[in-house]
Amino acid sequence: MLHRTTIAAMLFGLLINGCGSGAGEPVVTEPAPPLDGHRSSAHASSGNASVSSPTYSSPMPTDLNSMIQAALTDAANTTRLDVSALRLVSAEKVTWRDGSLGCPAPGRMYTMALVPGYRIRIQAGAELLDYHAGARGQPVACPPGRATEPVADARI
């Protein structure tokens, strides 16, 4: 019978060697890219393992006013309308049901946890734009028909 310390050492060895991935390198997974795809990768190399960490094209807003400004700027760029032609319909702190931030893409899986964030709605001419964000992420336009409602009366 194997001693518990021996078993623990063998399991630790498997983890260090990439769980038998065949390449001898640890398996590194990256987080899902933001919904709008504005992302570049910064690679750091340590020994023979390459680790990727996301970097974003602009600073991430963290309060409702910053979220509103980011959404208005994106809406103006997307619709080619001046910001003065846009109308803020609503802006609120919400709690999303999962990691999709209320905008699930078909065929994707998301973290099943409540996520604090924001929902911002902007009228651009005849079009109503729906922006969703996590508490520390960029607001992203959710295409019509894909948006889901946040958790009702949740405190964040």
Side-chain angles (χ1 to χ4, degrees):
M1 180 188 265
L2 290 174
H3 191 269
R4 288 183 187 178
T5 309
T6 305
I7 293 172
M10 287 173 34
L11 290 173
F12 181 73
L14 286 173
L15 287 172
I16 295 298
N17 289 322
C19 296
S21 66
E25 293 184 9
V27 177
V28 178
T29 58
E30 289 185 26
L35 297 175
D36 62 357
H38 287 39
R39 174 178 176 238
S40 63
S41 291
H43 295 283
S45 184
S46 172
N48 61 355
S50 178
V51 177
S52 268
S53 62
T55 55
Y56 297 89
S57 58
S58 59
M60 289 188 256
T62 58
D63 62 84
L64 185 56
N65 287 331
S66 297
M67 291 286 181
I68 292 168
Q69 290 309 311
L72 285 168
T73 299
D74 185 74
N77 290 335
T78 301
T79 62
R80 299 180 191 258
L81 293 172
D82 190 74
V83 173
S84 63
L86 303 174
R87 186 175 64 85
L88 180 64
V89 175
S90 66
E92 60 187 335
K93 282 185 170 186
V94 297
T95 300
W96 299 112
R97 296 179 188 284
D98 57 33
S100 73
L101 303 178
C103 192
R108 300 248 350 234
M109 294 182 70
Y110 297 95
T111 303
M112 299 307 295
L114 296 177
V115 179
Y118 302 94
R119 178 170 59 180
I120 301 162
R121 292 182 173 156
I122 298 171
Q123 190 73 45
E127 189 177 9
L128 179 65
L129 304 174
D130 196 5
Y131 283 85
H132 297 192
R136 288 181 257 158
Q138 291 283 15
V140 178
C142 186
R146 245 178 51 194
T148 61
E149 290 296 311
V151 176
D153 298 320
R155 303 238 186 256
I156 57 172

